[in-house]
Amino acid sequence: MDKQIKEQPMRLFIAIKLSEELKSKLEGWREQYQTEFAFKKWTHREDYHITIQFLGDVEPVRLPAISKKLQTIAHQFHPFKLKFGKAGIFGVETSPKVLWAGVIDYNHMLNQLQEAVTNGMEEFGFVKESRPYHPHITIAQKYTGNEPFQMDSVPSLLPQTAPKGQEEGEAFWTINEFVLFSTHLHDRPMYEILESFRMED
C-alpha cells in the first residue's frame, strides 16, 4: 500500500464504485429534484457506491494482510455486469431513513463476490451480517419533511431512453474491480479509496 500508514484506527468498508456515467446521471437527478424532497443529507457525487462489507474501525497495521486477501479474492472473479434498478427506501414509509437506487444482479455475480469477501474477512475477525445482502446505492438520508413522504412521487432516477424491447445501454455497467474505502465523517466527499482490487480479465 503506497499511502502513509497512520497510527489511528481507520473506519473502513469494501465496496464497488459506480461508473462515471452513472455518477453524472445521479448527480443530475439530485440537482433537479433535491429541493422537492426534504432529506437532511444527500450523497456527494464521488461517494456513490455499492457496499460489499462494512469493516468498521481497523488498525492500520492490519491493512497489508487484509489487502493481500482481497486481491486474492479479486483474482478469483472475472468482470461482470450490473444494471441500475428502481428507487426504494429503508425505514418508515412516510418518513424514510434512506432513499436508495436498486441494483439488478442478473447473474448473481455480485452476491457471489459479497459471499467470497465476507468469508475471506472472517479470518480477520470481521463477522458477517445476519440479515440478507441487499445491494443498493444510497441517494439521500433522513427525511425531514413536514408532509408524509410519498414514494410514488419520486421521479425515475434514470430516464428510459432505449426503444421498447431493447436493453437500456446506459443502465448497465461493467464491474472489473472493487475497492477499500476509508471514511472521513466530516469531509465532502466523505470516502477515500485506499486501494483497488482488479479482477481477472
Side-chain angles (χ1 to χ4, degrees):
M1 187 172 296
D2 295 332
K3 294 184 179 295
Q4 180 181 3
I5 293 181
K6 305 173 185 177
E7 294 182 1
Q8 294 296 322
M10 308 173 76
R11 197 167 184 82
L12 305 181
F13 65 97
I14 303 158
I16 287 174
K17 300 184 300 180
L18 265 62
S19 67
E20 290 299 319
E21 184 177 12
L22 277 178
K23 287 193 293 186
S24 295
K25 289 182 180 297
L26 287 177
E27 180 70 358
W29 187 94
R30 182 193 65 77
E31 291 175 348
Q32 184 173 357
Y33 296 110
Q34 180 175 349
T35 56
E36 297 183 24
F37 301 99
F39 281 89
K40 184 176 181 180
K41 180 180 178 182
W42 291 80
T43 302
H44 188 281
R45 181 189 187 280
E46 298 304 320
D47 285 340
Y48 291 125
H49 68 274
I50 304 166
T51 298
I52 296 175
Q53 185 177 16
F54 177 73
L55 301 182
D57 291 337
V58 179
E59 297 82 5
V61 70
R62 304 178 68 194
L63 294 186
I66 290 172
S67 295
K68 183 178 180 180
K69 183 66 176 182
L70 290 173
Q71 189 60 71
T72 298
I73 293 170
H75 286 162
Q76 297 170 2
F77 286 81
H78 294 287
F80 58 89
K81 289 186 180 294
L82 293 176
K83 185 178 181 182
F84 193 87
K86 295 180 179 180
I89 57 172
F90 293 140
V92 179
E93 185 175 347
T94 55
S95 184
K97 293 181 179 179
V98 177
L99 173 66
W100 48 261
V103 178
I104 302 173
D105 181 20
Y106 283 118
N107 297 318
H108 308 293
M109 293 305 300
L110 177 56
N111 274 277
Q112 291 182 35
L113 176 60
Q114 190 266 349
E115 184 175 358
V117 168
T118 54
N119 285 341
M121 291 298 98
E122 279 190 314
E123 68 182 67
F124 299 97
F126 300 110
V127 180
K128 291 183 180 183
E129 288 193 7
S130 58
R131 59 186 177 184
Y133 181 51
H134 190 289
H136 63 278
I137 303 157
T138 296
I139 305 299
Q141 298 178 62
K142 298 181 181 178
Y143 181 72
T144 58
N146 295 322
E147 298 297 324
F149 179 79
Q150 294 183 347
M151 189 67 214
D152 291 343
S153 68
V154 176
S156 174
L157 293 170
L158 199 65
Q160 301 294 318
T161 58
K164 189 173 182 181
Q166 295 185 20
E167 292 183 345
E168 184 186 355
E170 70 269 22
F172 285 87
W173 79 105
T174 299
I175 309 304
N176 56 22
E177 67 178 5
F178 57 92
V179 301
L180 182 63
F181 275 117
S182 175
T183 301
H184 304 282
L185 290 176
H186 302 295
D187 292 350
R188 296 279 288 173
M190 190 166 61
Y191 305 130
E192 174 192 3
I193 296 175
L194 296 182
E195 193 159 352
S196 300
F197 308 97
R198 289 192 65 83
M199 301 172 187
E200 289 288 334
D201 292 329

